[in-house]
Each structure stands twice: as structure tokens, then as C-alpha cells.
């Protein structure tokens, strides 16, 4: 897996690329949590669940179904969860703000297994669970697999962070800058003299 820190790069890049205020702080926080949540399955090791099991590491929690469940939860919370919805535009929840919250959280959650599939190690990710327990890898796997916590602060951990900087953070930063450069200038109302 890329390190837990690098999974947060996707929601942060989307937030930076969006118009100011389009993704409010609470929705950004939900996106960051959604990118990190699939790795809660490392608890399977403590529970003696085998890595290759459907509920082992990179199993069910790394599926598109899991991302969809998180997106549905985000939609429910956006619409019914509070008087202050995740929409920065309106004080009342709208279908558009609910869909925006769900899509944002889905993209964030789905980015986790997609990044994991691009790593150089592990058993692959169960993207199609529960329909298939096949573990998928991307055809191109440039990201070094991250060591677990005890070895993270080692030479291997540093090599992993440099790999993530090269293959995740810099391309996302470049994409954000390019997106901002091609966007039309905002139309400001003219002041009458």
C-alpha cells in the first residue's frame, strides 16, 4: 500500500482544484477519512484472519462496493445528518449537494484500492468483491509498497515516501496546476462609476 499519508493526496488535490468553497472543510475531512478507512482492515492481522481472505488486508474494504457504501453513507449524512449540510453553497440540503457529497466520497474511497493496485507488492486488491475474490493489480506498478508501522521509519520507509512523492504527489500537484491554468478567469461584476 502507499502510506496512509499518501492516500490523503487525492481528496486534497480535488479540494485544491475545485472552486473556492466548493468542497467545504467537513466534506474534505470526510474524503480524507474515506481514503484512509480501507486500511482499517490491517486489524485482520491481529484477529488472525489470513491476508488472502476476503476480509483480510486489501480484501472487502478495498472493493468498489465498500466505496459505494461509504458514498451512500455520505449522502445520508449530507441530507439528514445536520442542519449544516456539506454544501458550501446552500444552508439547506439539496439533491445536488447530496450527490456532490456522495460522488466526492466515492472517488476518494475508490482511489485507495486503485493506488494500492499500483504498488510493487502485496496480493493485489479485491476491487470486485463480493462478486469476485480475485485480487487485481494495475498493469503498471511504479509505487513502492509501504512497510508496516515498525519499519516505516527506516531506509525502506524513506524510499517508499520518495516513490510516493514521485508517482502520486507530484503528478497530482501538476494536474491541479494545469487544471487551474486552463480554467477561464472568474467573471467579476463591474462596479459602476
Amino acid at each position: 500500500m502507499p502510506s496512509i499519508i499518501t492516500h490523503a493526496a487525492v481528496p486534497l488535490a480535488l479540494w485544491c482544484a475545485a472552486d473556492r468553497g466548493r468542497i467545504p472543510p467537513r466534506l474534505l475531512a470526510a474524503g480524507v477519512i474515506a481514503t484512509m478507512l480501507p486500511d482499517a482492515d490491517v486489524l485482520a492481522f491481529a484477529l488472525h484472519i489470513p491476508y488472502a481472505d476476503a476480509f483480510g488486508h486489501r480484501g472487502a474494504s478495498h472493493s468498489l462496493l465498500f466505496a459505494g457504501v461509504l458514498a451512500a453513507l455520505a449522502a445520508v449524512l449530507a441530507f439528514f445528518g445536520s442542519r449544516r449540510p456539506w454544501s458550501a453553497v446552500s444552508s439547506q440540503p439539496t439533491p445536488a449537494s447530496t450527490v456532490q457529497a456522495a460522488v466526492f466520497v466515492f472517488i476518494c474511497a475508490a482511489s485507495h484500492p486503485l493506488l494500492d493496485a499500483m504498488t510493487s507488492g502485496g496480493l493485489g486488491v479485491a476491487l470486485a468483491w463480493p462478486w469476485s475474490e480475485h485480487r487485481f493489480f494495475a498493469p503498471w506498478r511504479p509505487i513502492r509498497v509501504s512497510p508496516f508501522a515498525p519499519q516505516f521509519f527506516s531506509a525502506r520507509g524513506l524510499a517508499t515516501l520518495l516513490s510516493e512523492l514521485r508517482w502520486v504527489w507530484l503528478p497530482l500537484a501538476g494536474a491541479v496546476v494545469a487544471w487551474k491554468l486552463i480554467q477561464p478567469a472568474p467573471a467579476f461584476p463591474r462596479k459602476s462609476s
Side-chain angles (χ1 to χ4, degrees):
M1 69 183 155
S3 66
I4 199 78
I5 301 162
T6 292
H7 283 298
V10 172
L12 292 172
L14 292 171
W15 178 75
C16 289
D19 293 335
R20 183 178 288 274
R22 176 90 182 199
I23 300 172
R26 289 177 61 200
L27 184 54
L28 175 61
V32 168
I33 291 168
T35 63
M36 295 178 178
L37 197 56
D39 275 343
D41 67 4
V42 296
L43 295 173
F45 293 125
L47 299 171
H48 304 290
I49 297 171
Y51 189 159
D53 190 84
F55 294 99
H57 185 51
R58 291 187 172 183
S61 68
H62 285 61
S63 68
L64 294 178
L65 176 65
F66 184 78
V69 168
L70 291 180
L73 180 61
V76 168
L77 290 174
F79 197 77
F80 297 112
S82 72
R83 290 190 176 139
R84 294 185 56 203
W86 290 350
S87 171
V89 179
S90 169
S91 62
Q92 296 297 319
T94 64
S97 67
T98 303
V99 169
Q100 176 186 335
V103 168
F104 180 75
V105 169
F106 179 82
I107 290 169
C108 293
S111 74
H112 183 112
L114 296 177
L115 284 174
D116 279 3
M118 294 176 65
T119 61
S120 61
L123 297 180
V125 293
L127 278 175
W129 181 89
W131 301 280
S132 170
E133 289 189 22
H134 177 76
R135 300 287 183 109
F136 294 90
F137 276 113
W140 183 55
R141 298 171 35 192
I143 304 169
R144 289 182 58 106
V145 71
S146 178
F148 287 107
Q151 298 117 0
F152 190 75
F153 297 102
S154 66
R156 182 173 166 219
L158 179 61
T160 298
L161 289 175
L162 291 173
S163 170
E164 292 171 356
L165 178 67
R166 178 179 182 190
W167 297 110
V168 180
W169 289 96
L170 290 176
L172 285 174
V176 167
V177 169
W179 177 255
K180 290 294 191 179
L181 288 174
I182 64 171
Q183 291 302 299
F188 294 105
R190 292 184 146 178
K191 293 182 182 180
S192 56
S193 315

